[in-house]
Amino acid sequence: MSSELAELESVPEQWKRRHLLGLEELSAEEITLILDKAEVFKRAMCEGKKKIPLLTGKTCVNLFFEDSTRTRTSFALAARRLGADVIDFSASTSSLSKGETVIDTAKNIEAMGVDVVVVRHRTPGTPRLLAQNLKSCIVNAGDGPHEHPTQGLLDIMTIRQRCGRVEGLTVALVGDIAHSRTARSNIWGLKKLGAHVIVCGPSTLVSPRWAEIGVEYSYSLDDILSRVDVLNLLRIQFERQYSRPFPSVREYAHLYAMDRDRLAKTKEGILIMAPGPINRGVEVTPDVADGPHSAILEQVTNGLAVRMAVLWLVAGNTN
């Protein structure tokens, strides 16, 4: 192993966790540790190292009860890059349709010798429930509107790389805050690292109760544009809404889409982010999404490094 990767020979003593369930429960030091290790993995990949066999002999299962392409693929590739075997679970072809519970499904898969369970489920708290009932390491890949910790981490990693720091920055999360697990993970992580967070969107999707934990809220994107260093444009979660929270998509885009005119009102070095897949023309126009201020594709690259770091940390010191 090269000197660049020598620090990955063993999991740091300060990392004590077997699971990653959310950023709310992590300390600033733990979040920073994950980001630092992700940087090492990213540098190694940029140097052409496609395989870093730190988890050889381990087995990772993607237990996804919701549709996913990018996150599932990213976790699978991260595990394979670390030398682990990967099993992909599909809820549509499982025995769940016969009445089998999530815990029974997970226990049956674990009995095949699985070391890490990466789980996505529409019900908040499902990863914690599995952590309480399984011996395997559990990684939350999104539980309903609750949290999506690796998305939060990759967003913060991108901010740290582009801006050189997180502390002291003003970061605005714009869009469907009410239903966004990405927003919650970003809020917890950013606040712990010293950023000022603003949530912005229609009043039907942005609660003033965020102020109770020190998060600023705004219903007008134009009012906050000149103050922010980072704009994270969140996708409207139509699949989690039981009623339309605004009259039309066109009206939402008129009030909240990041376009060329709004870009001209921002700070010169504004960073534009958006967790894919983006709805072009709704949250952001194509010219901004593909422009020099955008880090959307960097987020995807950083996601692979973050997930490698997380899988290594939770499973790297287990027997």
Side-chain angles (χ1 to χ4, degrees):
M1 185 175 290
S2 68
S3 57
E4 175 72 45
L5 299 175
E7 63 182 274
L8 301 178
E9 289 183 344
S10 60
V11 173
E13 292 184 1
Q14 60 265 43
W15 182 265
K16 306 293 185 183
R17 298 180 183 273
R18 295 183 63 254
H19 313 295
L20 178 66
L21 305 180
L23 299 192
E24 183 179 3
E25 62 190 41
L26 297 190
S27 66
E29 292 72 23
E30 289 172 315
I31 293 171
T32 301
L33 176 63
I34 298 173
L35 297 176
D36 289 345
K37 299 309 178 186
E39 295 278 5
V40 177
F41 282 114
K42 184 176 181 180
R43 286 196 298 270
M45 288 188 290
C46 289
E47 293 172 0
K49 296 180 176 67
K50 298 296 185 182
K51 292 285 187 179
I52 308 173
L54 298 170
L55 295 184
T56 300
K58 303 286 187 182
T59 301
C60 176
V61 60
N62 282 331
L63 195 65
F64 279 50
F65 297 92
E66 282 187 315
D67 292 337
S68 170
T69 299
R70 186 173 50 87
T71 301
R72 181 200 289 266
T73 302
S74 183
F75 268 112
L77 184 55
R80 291 191 176 100
R81 291 265 173 107
L82 292 168
D85 295 318
V86 179
I87 302 170
D88 275 319
F89 168 89
S90 175
S92 62
T93 58
S94 74
S95 294
L96 288 168
S97 60
K98 303 175 185 177
E100 184 177 291
T101 68
V102 171
I103 293 176
D104 284 338
T105 296
K107 282 187 173 182
N108 275 271
I109 293 174
E110 182 184 51
M112 300 177 191
V114 168
D115 301 285
V116 184
V117 176
V118 179
V119 60
R120 170 172 285 195
H121 200 282
R122 68 178 66 253
T123 303
T126 299
R128 187 171 299 279
L129 181 67
L130 293 183
Q132 294 167 346
N133 286 275
L134 272 64
K135 297 177 182 178
S136 303
C137 303
I138 308 298
V139 177
N140 182 2
D143 57 335
H146 176 231
E147 276 218 49
H148 192 351
T150 56
Q151 180 67 50
L153 288 165
L154 72 89
D155 288 347
I156 296 169
M157 179 179 178
T158 305
I159 293 170
R160 197 171 75 157
Q161 287 178 340
R162 278 289 195 103
C163 301
R165 71 189 199 282
V166 175
E167 185 175 7
L169 295 178
T170 296
V171 181
L173 304 170
V174 181
D176 189 354
I177 308 302
H179 303 94
S180 176
R181 53 196 174 204
T182 293
R184 282 158 179 75
S185 289
N186 267 273
I187 287 167
W188 296 121
L190 289 166
K191 281 183 57 61
K192 289 181 181 184
L193 295 185
H196 175 66
V197 180
I198 305 173
V199 291
C200 177
S203 60
T204 50
L205 295 174
V206 175
S207 170
R209 294 199 62 184
W210 281 112
E212 296 175 11
I213 61 167
V215 174
E216 182 181 347
Y217 68 95
S218 174
Y219 303 133
S220 171
L221 177 57
D222 293 314
D223 286 351
I224 66 172
L225 279 178
S226 63
R227 295 195 288 124
V228 300
D229 302 291
V230 181
L231 277 169
N232 197 339
L233 308 170
L234 305 178
R235 184 174 65 86
I236 300 299
Q237 307 279 320
F238 290 115
E239 71 274 16
R240 295 194 181 96
Q241 297 171 3
Y242 296 101
S243 61
R244 183 59 62 89
F246 41 79
S248 69
V249 172
R250 177 178 292 184
E251 180 175 6
Y252 177 87
H254 175 70
L255 294 172
Y256 297 103
M258 195 62 194
D259 56 22
R260 185 180 305 171
D261 292 337
R262 287 197 167 100
L263 187 62
K265 301 175 184 177
T266 64
K267 292 183 178 181
E268 183 177 351
I270 187 74
L271 175 60
I272 305 295
M273 301 169 61
I278 62 173
N279 294 317
R280 291 174 178 262
V282 180
E283 296 96 9
V284 57
T285 56
D287 55 331
V288 175
D290 300 327
H293 295 279
S294 170
I296 294 173
L297 292 181
E298 288 177 49
Q299 291 171 259
V300 177
T301 301
N302 288 340
L304 180 58
V306 161
R307 286 162 184 139
M308 289 177 72
V310 167
L311 291 174
W312 171 67
L313 285 168
V314 299
N317 58 358
T318 58
N319 296 321

